[in-house]
Amino acid sequence: MFSFFPSPLQQFFLIVAILASLVTTISTASIGSVETNHSWRQEQVDEVRMEMVERIGNHFEEGGRPFYVNGFNTYWLMALAADPSTRGKVTETFADASSAGLTVGRTWAFSDGGQGALQKSPSVYDENVFKALDFVVSEAKRHNIRLILSLTNNWKDYGGKAQYVKWGIAAGLKLTSDDDFFSDPTVKGYYKAHIKTVLNRVNTFTNIPYKEDPTIFAWELMNEPRCQADPSGNKLQSWIEEMALYVKSIDPKHLLEIGLEGFYGPSTPNRLQFNPNTVAGQVGTDFVRNHRAPGIDFATAHIYPDTWVSNSIPGNHLPFTNSWMQSHIDDAGNVLGKPILFAEFGESTKDSNFSVGFRDQFISTVYTNILNSIRRGGSAAGGLLWQLFPEGTDYMDDGYAVVLARSKSTSSIISLQSRRMQMFNSKCSWRSKLICRRN
C-alpha cells in the first residue's frame, strides 16, 4: 500500500488550494443567484434533448420507440405569457402537467385582430406577443412537453376566420360569409402568410426555428373547422388539401393535422349514425374524406356529449362516448391507416347535475377506450383533456377547468393513465406490427 506524508510546505500549498476552491465555489453560487430568469431558463432549455415525433403506419414513434400520448389543452398560454403579471402561470401549467406525467399540450399559435393580438392586421405582428409564444414553446421544452400549435380558429374567439374575412372586406373584397375564408384567394393568401411567418419564426429564447424544433409535436390547420355554407364538404376539402401541401412545402419534418371534431359527412353515409345528431353531418366536414388529404399525418376527434347529445348528464353520455370513439378508432386504422388523437374531451361543471364523480367516470371511459385500442395494436394514439388550469385562473374557466391540486381523484386518474402510456412506450417495439412485451 502506498502512503504519503506531506512536508510543512506542501501542507501550506494544499491549504491554499482548498481555500481557493472554496472561494471559487462561493463566487460561482453568488453569480448564479443573481442571474436573470431568462439566462437560467435558457440553460435549462438547452439541457433537454428531444427528437422529432414521426408517424409509422397507424402509430407515432420517437427515435425508433412508440410514442403514446396522454396530454392536455390550455389554449390561452400565449395570452398569459404576454402579460408579465401572469407569465408565471405558464410555467406553473407546464409544471403541473409534467407532475401528472402529461407529455403533449395543445395551445393557440394565433390571435387575430383586437386588443393584445399576435397578428394585428394581415402580416403585421406584435413582437412582444410573438416573444410570449416563444416563451411558451421554450417552457414546454424545459418541462419535456411537446406542443400541438393551432394556426387559426373556426370560431370568433381570438379572431379566427371571421377576422380574416373582416380584413378582406376592409380591403375592398366583396365577401358575404365567414365561410368565404375557405375560398377567397386574397383571404387564403392572408392565412398562408401567417403560416409562413409562424413556421419560419426563430424562437428568441432558444434560437431554434419553429420548423426545426422537436418541441412542436404537430401543426393544426384550424381549431374545429366547419363550412356550413357548403354542406357537400367540397369547399372545405379543397381548402384542407391546399393548406396541407403549403404547410408541408415549408416544413416537411413536423406532423400535421386538421383540427376536426370528427363528424362524419356525405362520403360515408353508413357512418352518419355515429354522429351525435343530424346537424353534425351537415356542417361541411367529413371525417374520412378530410383525413385522406395528402399531407395530413393523423386524424383527430373531439368528445363533448354534454353539448352534442344533451345539456344535462343523462345515461347516454357514456354509451355515446364508447360508440363515438370505437367508430373513429376503427376508421382511422382500417380505412385511413393513420393514428387518431382524441384531441379534446371534457364534461362541464356548468351542468346542474355535474359531479366530480361523473367527470372521473367520463375521463376513465375515454382512457379505457384508448388503452383497449393500444393493447390490440389499434390506431388510438392518446387523448388530450380539455382543459388543464393552474391555480388562480378561474376567471378563464369555461366550465371545463381541471385544477389538479383541487381535484385529487381526477388527478389520480390522469396520472395513472400517464404511467400506463409510459409503460407502453417503454415495453413496446416496432416490427411488422406493434408487439408489447408483457413482463
Side-chain angles (χ1 to χ4, degrees):
M1 177 180 291
F2 175 79
S3 61
F4 172 66
F5 298 94
S7 69
L9 183 60
Q10 289 172 321
Q11 291 179 28
F12 171 76
F13 283 120
L14 182 59
I15 291 170
V16 170
I18 291 171
L19 289 173
S21 176
L22 286 171
V23 169
T24 301
T25 301
I26 293 170
S27 299
T28 302
S30 300
I31 292 169
S33 68
V34 298
E35 283 182 335
T36 64
N37 266 351
H38 174 85
S39 298
W40 180 80
R41 282 175 178 145
Q42 183 67 58
E43 179 183 355
Q44 295 299 304
V45 165
D46 290 342
E47 288 179 358
V48 177
R49 293 292 180 265
M50 295 178 175
E51 297 185 53
M52 290 281 187
V53 176
E54 302 174 292
R55 177 176 73 90
I56 305 296
N58 66 343
H59 298 89
F60 297 128
E61 176 182 343
E62 182 205 9
R65 301 181 70 86
F67 189 82
Y68 289 106
V69 172
N70 195 29
F72 66 99
N73 288 270
T74 307
Y75 66 88
W76 30 265
L77 290 174
M78 179 174 63
L80 285 185
D83 183 344
S85 69
T86 57
R87 187 171 300 155
K89 292 298 179 183
V90 174
T91 301
E92 188 178 330
T93 301
F94 287 127
D96 289 346
S98 180
S99 70
L102 300 172
T103 56
V104 174
R106 178 170 169 262
T107 195
W108 294 173
F110 66 87
S111 178
D112 312 309
Q115 185 176 3
L118 170 64
Q119 187 178 194
K120 297 186 289 186
S121 59
S123 296
V124 178
Y125 291 86
D126 185 321
E127 179 62 16
N128 287 330
V129 180
F130 231 142
K131 287 179 179 177
L133 182 59
D134 294 343
F135 178 77
V136 170
V137 176
S138 69
E139 284 296 275
K141 183 179 182 68
R142 190 166 73 87
H143 289 87
N144 201 27
I145 291 173
R146 289 173 171 80
L147 296 175
I148 295 175
L149 295 181
S150 188
L151 295 166
T152 195
N153 206 355
N154 179 72
W155 314 109
K156 293 182 179 180
D157 305 275
Y158 290 80
K161 69 180 183 183
Q163 181 61 64
Y164 278 93
V165 169
K166 287 179 182 177
W167 286 333
I169 293 172
L173 302 177
K174 297 184 183 304
L175 307 176
T176 59
S177 165
D178 289 348
D179 285 341
D180 288 337
F181 171 88
F182 297 110
S183 57
D184 183 82
T186 299
V187 175
K188 288 194 294 182
Y190 294 160
Y191 175 65
K192 283 183 176 180
H194 178 63
I195 291 173
K196 184 177 181 180
T197 299
V198 174
L199 272 57
N200 284 318
R201 171 77 175 182
V202 177
N203 193 307
T204 55
F205 286 84
T206 65
N207 296 318
I208 302 172
Y210 280 31
K211 65 183 179 182
E212 302 287 342
D213 192 347
T215 309
I216 297 169
F217 177 84
W219 301 110
E220 177 177 279
L221 291 179
M222 173 180 271
N223 173 52
E224 300 186 333
R226 296 185 185 186
C227 184
Q228 292 180 251
D230 179 21
S232 75
N234 292 332
K235 183 181 287 190
L236 181 59
Q237 181 69 19
S238 177
W239 180 86
I240 291 168
E241 291 175 358
E242 180 179 351
M243 297 307 166
L245 292 177
Y246 184 73
V247 170
K248 289 293 187 178
S249 73
I250 299 171
D251 178 5
K253 295 181 180 180
H254 280 103
L255 299 171
L256 176 65
E257 49 103 344
I258 302 167
L260 290 177
E261 296 158 281
F263 301 138
Y264 289 102
S267 77
T268 52
N270 63 318
R271 308 304 271 173
L272 295 175
Q273 61 180 309
F274 294 106
N275 281 346
N277 49 56
T278 56
V279 174
Q282 302 167 7
V283 295
T285 67
D286 194 320
F287 176 78
V288 172
R289 183 188 182 195
N290 294 160
H291 283 118
R292 279 177 163 157
I296 299 302
D297 294 297
F298 62 94
T300 63
H302 298 176
I303 315 170
Y304 288 110
D306 59 352
T307 56
W308 294 350
V309 178
S310 170
N311 289 328
S312 181
I313 294 173
N316 60 353
H317 277 208
L318 299 183
F320 166 77
T321 299
N322 286 327
S323 64
W324 178 253
M325 292 184 72
Q326 194 55 57
S327 66
H328 286 78
I329 289 169
D330 290 343
D331 289 336
N334 300 333
V335 179
L336 299 172
K338 297 177 180 181
I340 180 168
L341 275 184
F342 293 95
E344 291 186 21
F345 61 91
E347 284 275 353
S348 175
T349 59
K350 294 182 179 181
D351 183 350
S352 60
N353 294 321
F354 174 85
S355 70
V356 171
F358 182 80
R359 182 177 68 187
D360 289 350
Q361 190 178 4
F362 169 72
I363 293 172
S364 295
T365 298
V366 173
Y367 285 164
T368 297
N369 284 316
I370 292 169
L371 288 169
N372 288 340
S373 172
I374 294 172
R375 291 187 182 105
R376 297 192 307 267
S379 61
L384 308 176
L385 178 71
W386 186 274
Q387 58 174 314
L388 189 66
F389 269 58
E391 291 274 17
T393 51
D394 298 39
Y395 60 94
M396 299 286 289
D397 187 4
D398 59 353
Y400 294 89
V402 176
V403 180
L404 297 178
R406 293 188 211 158
S407 306
K408 297 298 184 183
S409 61
T410 307
S411 179
S412 295
I413 292 168
I414 293 170
S415 296
L416 176 60
Q417 182 75 355
S418 295
R419 290 195 296 273
R420 286 169 170 164
M421 296 295 100
Q422 291 165 6
M423 179 191 71
F424 282 114
N425 289 343
S426 63
K427 291 188 177 182
C428 298
S429 62
W430 298 115
R431 291 179 191 166
S432 58
K433 62 179 181 179
L434 185 72
I435 299 172
C436 290
R437 299 191 298 275
R438 302 184 183 277
N439 294 334

